[in-house]
Amino acid sequence: MSESPDFAQRLDRVESRFAMHDLVSDYCHGFDKHDWDRFSAIWWPDAVWDIGPPFGKFEGSEGIAHVTKDILWPAWLASSHFTTNLVIAFDGDDRATGVCDVDCIGTTADEQAQTVSASYFDRFERRGGVWKIAHRKVKMYHFNPLPGVTLSAPE
């Protein structure tokens, strides 16, 4: 029995979805664990990361490295991102869009517990057989301190 083109395309879509899910997860793990190799591997060199207020828009590998290493990581003592509800839509064989929700809890450099709720709007592109993020727009719903709350590891 020969493989139909429809089956091959469906299999490619399944594999592609797994690859995009991994990108979304590697964003969280890379950022939270300050693992630059993992974090930087999710972006195309010409990617745009539009974090929005109060941070801004960062373009290309250098811009993303700058905001991550020089602004965000020093601002957060610890963070834990939790992404859910990833919905992917294909715009062809090598392009797709995705949207997911994210909640982040952490402690900023001033030792203030914070909570952030947002959505990530992604454009994924496959180049040379590899999926990566070409554009990520962040829409924040809240970014608030948790007064009187101290986040600490269990003793």
Side-chain angles (χ1 to χ4, degrees):
M1 182 181 296
S2 66
E3 187 176 294
S4 71
D6 184 50
F7 176 79
Q9 183 182 37
R10 288 188 350 247
L11 180 59
D12 179 64
R13 293 285 166 101
V14 170
E15 290 176 340
S16 294
R17 285 179 185 279
F18 276 114
M20 289 178 251
H21 274 267
D22 286 348
L23 292 170
V24 171
S25 295
D26 284 343
Y27 171 96
C28 298
H29 285 292
F31 188 90
D32 294 338
K33 294 166 181 64
H34 293 208
D35 181 344
W36 177 248
D37 290 338
R38 187 176 201 169
F39 187 76
S40 64
I42 70 168
W43 307 96
W44 285 115
D46 58 346
V48 174
W49 188 15
D50 187 356
I51 305 172
F55 302 104
K57 183 196 289 188
F58 302 89
E59 298 183 16
S61 298
E62 289 182 17
I64 291 170
H66 166 65
V67 69
T68 305
K69 293 178 176 181
D70 300 332
I71 298 171
L72 296 173
W73 281 350
W76 289 90
L77 294 175
S79 62
S80 295
H81 286 77
F82 305 96
T83 53
T84 61
N85 307 324
L86 177 59
V87 177
I88 296 168
F90 287 89
D91 297 333
D93 291 338
D94 298 320
R95 292 177 57 104
T97 58
V99 61
C100 66
D101 298 320
V102 60
D103 288 309
C104 178
I105 190 165
T107 303
T108 49
D110 60 358
E111 299 185 7
Q112 174 64 59
Q114 299 278 350
T115 182
V116 181
S117 179
S119 291
Y120 295 150
F121 297 87
D122 294 322
R123 188 175 74 243
F124 302 102
E125 292 181 5
R126 178 167 47 186
R127 302 177 190 173
V130 176
W131 286 100
K132 292 190 181 191
I133 297 173
H135 188 276
R136 170 166 275 188
K137 168 72 177 150
V138 179
K139 180 178 180 184
M140 287 195 205
Y141 304 111
H142 75 255
F143 187 133
N144 297 96
L146 299 169
V149 173
T150 302
L151 300 176
S152 59
E155 293 182 25

